[in-house]
Amino acid sequence: MIKFNRHIFDNGLRLVHSRMDDTEMVALNIIYDVGAKDESPEHTGFAHLFEHLMFGGSVNVPDFDTPLQKAGGADNAWTNNDFTNYYITVPACNVETAFRLESDRMLGLAFSPDSLDVQKHVVCEEFKQSNLNKPYGDVGHLMRDMCYKVHPYRWPTIGKCLAHIEQATLEQVKSFFYSHYAPDNAVLAVTGNISFEEAVRLTGKWFGDIERRNVPKRNLPVEPPQTEQRRLSVDRDVPLDALYMSFHMCGRMHPDYYAFDMLSDILSNGNSSRLIRRLVMEKNIFSGIDAYITGSVEPGMFQIAGKPVGKNNLEKSEACIWEEIERLKSEPVGEYEIEKVKNKFESDYIFSNMNYLNVASNLAMFELVSEAEDINREVEKYRKVTAEDLMTVAGKYLKEDNSSVLYVNSK
């Protein structure tokens, strides 16, 4: 059981805190309720661009990393379609440095044409390296475009195309920042060797005077139900043919989410999982195969990806996957398989939350999407999933008219 405290400031910033005396460090994790889904279809990639811009200097701190490094700290960030997350770890004796730095970039960035040009160049090079010049790099773009027709999940976090970043103006970037990066659109989690009283005092001192920005209410288009299978075959300069399958699934807060996550583990987590044991090790159909969920807040995707061995063609390989899917629908998963997956999740989750930074990240995420109390309920939610639940979810969602299939053919 993780014990924590909560305080909400007048400007809307939510603080969640957990004291962990087994470390001399403190973690600050701030998560903003903005991701790629909040971008305009004509200006994508902005949330990811800000992952870089937020390290380029702020109103009163022209160089973010140097003072943090002098204080013995480290920092990083990540962005996805739902959130933008920044975290700092620092020795407890220098914790105020972290509060000062993190609050200043919420207050405002040092927007300048030169800084924007530098970060645009960095992001464009990342786009080229990861999505244009890397084998299978455009699969994310192809799959999202197949699966989503109206919802902004139809483009990946890095953006729809290079031009959207290359043509981004300083005014567009400023507008995006002041519309989303605000105390009333964020959760700050503070964990480690610091008292709740001190965390409240320092948060109030450094963040309390930042004004609300009255973030616009999110109004995203609802993706209509898929009623027929979607298929695409492309030729690419890749070493092996590859098969990708996606099925629409529920969002992060839906009760079926836990069954989906368990199904992905039953299929491909470890050598004893079904797809790896049967299709890789026994039948030698695939050289490697994986099943996973996107884990998104709104309805996401259950996905399967594999590379066939040698002369095993994509049609035959796909048929083998459908056989395994049909088995999930028609035969209850055995108690041993279910318990194995539950035990692995529980042990991974408990060990993960022994780390003060992971606790900060999880507290912030749960507080943003629901309430921080859910950090202590996750294991039980997985424990409650039954064989009948798994069959029901597989039968309802893992069907042909809810699927999108991509063949990537090696030239």
Side-chain angles (χ1 to χ4, degrees):
M1 179 71 71
I2 296 172
K3 297 180 180 179
F4 67 91
N5 305 285
R6 177 190 287 107
H7 184 88
I8 301 176
F9 292 86
D10 291 341
N11 60 6
L13 179 64
R14 286 175 278 172
L15 167 69
V16 285
H17 162 272
S18 181
R19 179 156 193 164
M20 303 175 73
D21 290 328
D22 57 349
T23 178
E24 294 301 318
M25 303 291 287
V26 174
L28 273 69
N29 189 105
I30 189 160
I31 188 167
Y32 290 95
D33 193 8
V34 55
K37 68 183 180 185
D38 297 295
E39 299 162 349
S40 162
E42 287 73 41
H43 304 292
T44 64
F46 275 45
H48 177 251
L49 176 62
F50 269 99
E51 181 185 321
H52 294 261
L53 285 171
M54 292 284 263
F55 292 95
S58 52
V59 175
N60 301 300
V61 184
D63 179 3
F64 185 88
D65 285 330
T66 299
L68 181 62
Q69 291 168 358
K70 286 182 177 179
D75 62 303
N76 215 326
W78 53 262
T79 313
N80 62 25
N81 286 76
D82 296 309
F83 312 125
T84 303
N85 191 81
Y86 301 90
Y87 58 88
I88 292 176
T89 58
V90 67
C93 58
N94 294 329
V95 69
E96 189 159 5
T97 297
F99 279 91
R100 176 175 66 88
L101 294 173
E102 198 63 81
S103 67
D104 202 59
R105 60 180 177 182
M106 178 188 283
L107 177 65
L109 299 185
F111 291 108
S112 72
D114 288 344
S115 174
L116 178 58
D117 286 344
V118 168
Q119 298 306 329
K120 281 165 58 173
H121 177 74
V122 170
V123 172
C124 286
E125 289 304 309
E126 181 181 345
F127 192 113
K128 293 173 186 176
Q129 180 178 356
S130 300
N131 300 97
L132 299 183
N133 301 329
K134 181 180 177 182
Y136 315 102
D138 63 343
V139 165
H141 286 82
L142 295 172
M143 287 303 300
R144 286 185 175 274
D145 195 53
M146 286 178 68
C147 298
Y148 294 98
K149 299 306 176 184
V150 300
H151 193 280
Y153 282 167
R154 67 184 184 273
W155 57 82
T157 305
I158 201 164
K160 190 186 299 186
C161 61
L162 268 176
H164 287 182
I165 297 301
E166 291 173 334
Q167 297 170 10
T169 67
L170 195 58
E171 288 308 309
Q172 290 169 345
V173 167
K174 282 185 177 180
S175 175
F176 192 80
F177 176 82
Y178 288 110
S179 297
H180 298 289
Y181 297 81
D184 46 322
N185 203 40
V187 173
L188 172 64
V190 179
T191 60
N193 201 326
I194 184 172
S195 69
F196 178 52
E197 293 74 20
E198 182 68 355
V200 171
R201 183 186 74 81
L202 289 173
T203 305
K205 175 181 177 180
W206 291 103
F207 289 87
D209 291 337
I210 302 175
E211 295 183 356
R212 287 176 175 265
R213 294 192 176 128
N214 299 314
V215 175
K217 186 176 180 180
R218 185 179 281 136
N219 184 25
L220 302 178
V222 176
E223 184 69 22
Q226 186 173 335
T227 58
E228 61 182 9
Q229 188 181 63
R230 299 165 185 165
R231 304 187 69 90
L232 178 64
S233 181
V234 297
D235 297 328
R236 292 290 186 268
D237 188 13
V238 295
L240 297 170
D241 292 348
L243 168 65
Y244 300 87
M245 302 171 66
S246 285
F247 302 84
H248 288 277
M249 62 171 279
C250 60
R252 181 67 178 78
M253 302 312 297
H254 194 283
D256 288 344
Y257 175 88
Y258 303 93
F260 273 111
D261 198 17
M262 286 181 61
L263 283 172
S264 71
D265 282 356
I266 287 167
L267 287 176
S268 73
N269 193 335
N271 288 339
S272 62
S273 61
R274 294 186 175 192
L275 295 180
I276 293 177
R277 186 178 77 251
R278 293 172 180 159
L279 303 188
V280 176
M281 301 174 70
E282 294 177 4
K283 297 182 180 180
N284 199 33
I285 300 294
F286 289 91
S287 59
I289 192 166
D290 193 16
Y292 50 94
I293 59 174
T294 54
S296 50
V297 172
E298 299 186 46
M301 302 303 299
F302 180 96
Q303 299 185 307
I304 300 173
K307 295 181 176 65
V309 171
K311 296 181 180 180
N312 292 317
N313 62 41
L314 290 167
E315 290 82 3
K316 175 185 176 182
S317 304
E318 181 189 348
C320 291
I321 293 176
W322 281 111
E323 288 178 11
E324 293 300 327
I325 290 173
E326 290 306 314
R327 188 173 285 116
L328 287 174
K329 299 178 186 179
S330 59
E331 301 173 10
V333 178
E335 193 58 38
Y336 174 79
E337 269 188 292
I338 293 177
E339 195 64 21
K340 178 185 64 174
V341 169
K342 290 179 179 179
N343 288 344
K344 187 176 189 309
F345 171 79
E346 183 172 359
S347 63
D348 289 348
Y349 190 73
I350 290 173
F351 279 114
S352 172
N353 282 323
M354 294 174 69
N355 178 280
Y356 68 103
L357 177 57
N358 290 341
V359 172
S361 177
N362 287 333
L363 278 175
M365 189 274 291
F366 282 118
E367 180 68 13
L368 188 65
V369 301
S370 55
E371 57 183 7
E373 285 79 1
D374 280 343
I375 196 171
N376 293 317
R377 300 169 182 158
E378 279 293 275
V379 171
E380 184 59 28
K381 289 176 180 178
Y382 282 91
R383 284 285 173 200
K384 288 181 177 179
V385 176
T386 66
E388 183 179 357
D389 294 332
L390 296 173
M391 282 187 71
T392 299
V393 166
K396 181 179 179 181
Y397 295 95
L398 303 185
K399 52 187 182 178
E400 188 173 299
D401 61 4
N402 188 43
S403 69
S404 296
V405 180
L406 171 66
Y407 287 180
V408 179
N409 303 287
S410 174
K411 288 185 179 180

